[in-house]
Amino acid sequence: DDAIIVVNKPAGLIVHPARSHKSGTLVNALAWRFKHVSGGELSKVGEEFARPGIVHRLDKHTSGAIVSAKNDTAHWRLGKQFEMRRTDKRYLALVHGSPEKDVETIDLPLGKHPSVKEKYAVRFDETGKASLTIARVRERYLAPGGERYALVELELKTGRTHQIRVHLSYLGLPIVGDDMYGGKHTTERMLGGDADTMLLARQALHATTLGIRHPMTEQPMSFTAPVAADVRRAVELLRASTRAAGLEPRVDAPGTTIDAASAGL
């Protein structure tokens, strides 16, 4: 509408320009769309940092729902909602292993990795910032080779960089495809398919639902972004493999809110 735009960001798309990426970002795409297709513009907030309209971010290889502001008032009001943690952000992740509990509160401080510049880590020293994630198991899987996997719904109570990826890795549940934090690139055959085609060479993490209040009307709004095709295919293969072993994958731990049909699952 005139105040906001919500898109389902594909994996591989950077949110805003940086020193090594001046074009081909979400900001560039939105600016082009407004100029040539729909009219409108991004807010001027953040323009000096080449991120006009950008209220929150997703990692390059994380897909899913992201909202941008189309005027300054909307930007400031949305920004306040994120700052005050009044938004509802739910993610789906496909992880290696099987969580011990159906519901896990992960309360571990995060900070810069001590030796690798682009990474983050659990830090119990003065550099660690409070970080809280609630993980709820949606489905548990058994792959043909005996490997365990799980589909986990994640509720962010804080929004630290790489929060979900580091928290899950620390618990021994790295996200499939996330080689930075211990996940493995995965082929179709590894999950029960017939081909050796690479299926997930990026983290299987999707920002599935985003709940906000409209910045101009205060109306509660909830957006669900269907999962990307690679994650959906991986889930389909793992469900089939699990059922072939005589097991039912579905768990749906208490407190899950993502509607599977709306998410394309």
Side-chain angles (χ1 to χ4, degrees):
D1 62 16
D2 292 338
I4 61 173
I5 183 168
V6 181
V7 301
N8 186 359
K9 185 187 86 66
L13 182 66
I14 295 172
V15 171
H16 59 76
R19 281 176 293 180
S20 57
H21 296 89
K22 300 295 186 183
S23 62
T25 71
L26 178 63
V27 165
N28 298 114
L30 291 174
W32 188 94
R33 177 181 177 83
F34 295 152
K35 182 177 181 179
H36 298 286
V37 179
S38 65
E41 61 181 3
L42 289 165
S43 83
K44 301 297 190 291
V45 180
E47 198 169 42
E48 66 272 29
F49 303 110
R51 55 185 75 169
I54 299 302
V55 181
H56 65 124
R57 289 177 285 180
L58 296 174
D59 292 345
K60 175 182 177 181
H61 294 296
T62 299
S63 53
I66 184 169
V67 61
S68 298
K70 296 176 71 174
N71 63 61
D72 291 4
T73 299
H75 195 131
W76 289 118
R77 290 178 179 175
L78 282 172
K80 196 69 174 177
Q81 291 182 45
F82 280 91
E83 179 186 347
M84 301 303 292
R85 303 174 187 171
R86 294 200 300 263
T87 59
D88 182 25
K89 294 179 286 183
R90 301 284 180 125
Y91 292 69
L92 287 171
L94 183 64
V95 302
H96 296 280
S98 187
E100 289 186 12
K101 304 175 183 176
D102 287 348
V103 181
E104 180 87 34
T105 298
I106 311 169
D107 188 359
L108 295 167
L110 299 181
K112 285 278 193 178
H113 193 280
S115 58
V116 183
K117 182 179 179 181
E118 64 270 19
K119 291 181 67 173
Y120 289 78
V122 172
R123 298 290 298 265
F124 293 106
D125 55 17
E126 67 279 359
T127 69
K129 296 181 179 179
S131 306
L132 184 62
T133 306
I134 301 174
R136 299 177 173 95
V137 178
R138 296 294 303 249
E139 297 182 353
R140 296 179 186 270
Y141 308 118
L142 180 64
E147 297 88 355
R148 298 279 181 172
Y149 295 86
L151 182 68
V152 182
E153 178 177 321
L154 299 129
E155 179 183 358
L156 262 65
K157 295 297 188 181
T158 54
R160 308 297 180 199
T161 303
H162 295 186
Q163 177 174 321
I164 291 173
R165 299 166 66 189
V166 177
H167 272 174
L168 289 174
S169 178
Y170 189 86
L171 294 186
L173 301 166
I175 299 173
V176 173
D178 189 6
D179 56 353
M180 179 178 283
Y181 292 108
K184 298 177 182 177
H185 292 184
T186 306
T187 65
E188 290 223 354
R189 191 179 302 278
M190 292 167 67
L191 304 183
D194 297 324
D196 290 316
T197 308
M198 181 58 65
L199 182 58
L200 284 165
R202 58 97 177 180
Q203 66 254 21
L205 180 62
H206 183 73
T208 314
T209 62
L210 175 64
I212 59 172
R213 286 189 174 272
H214 192 280
M216 313 308 286
T217 67
E218 284 292 306
Q219 176 188 355
M221 309 183 82
S222 182
F223 302 92
T224 299
V227 298
D230 53 357
V231 175
R232 184 170 64 250
R233 174 63 175 163
V235 167
E236 289 171 352
L237 288 171
L238 285 167
R239 282 174 175 166
S241 171
T242 303
R243 287 173 177 144
L247 302 172
E248 175 53 45
R250 188 159 184 170
V251 176
D252 282 347
T256 56
T257 63
I258 293 173
D259 178 71
S262 298
L265 293 173

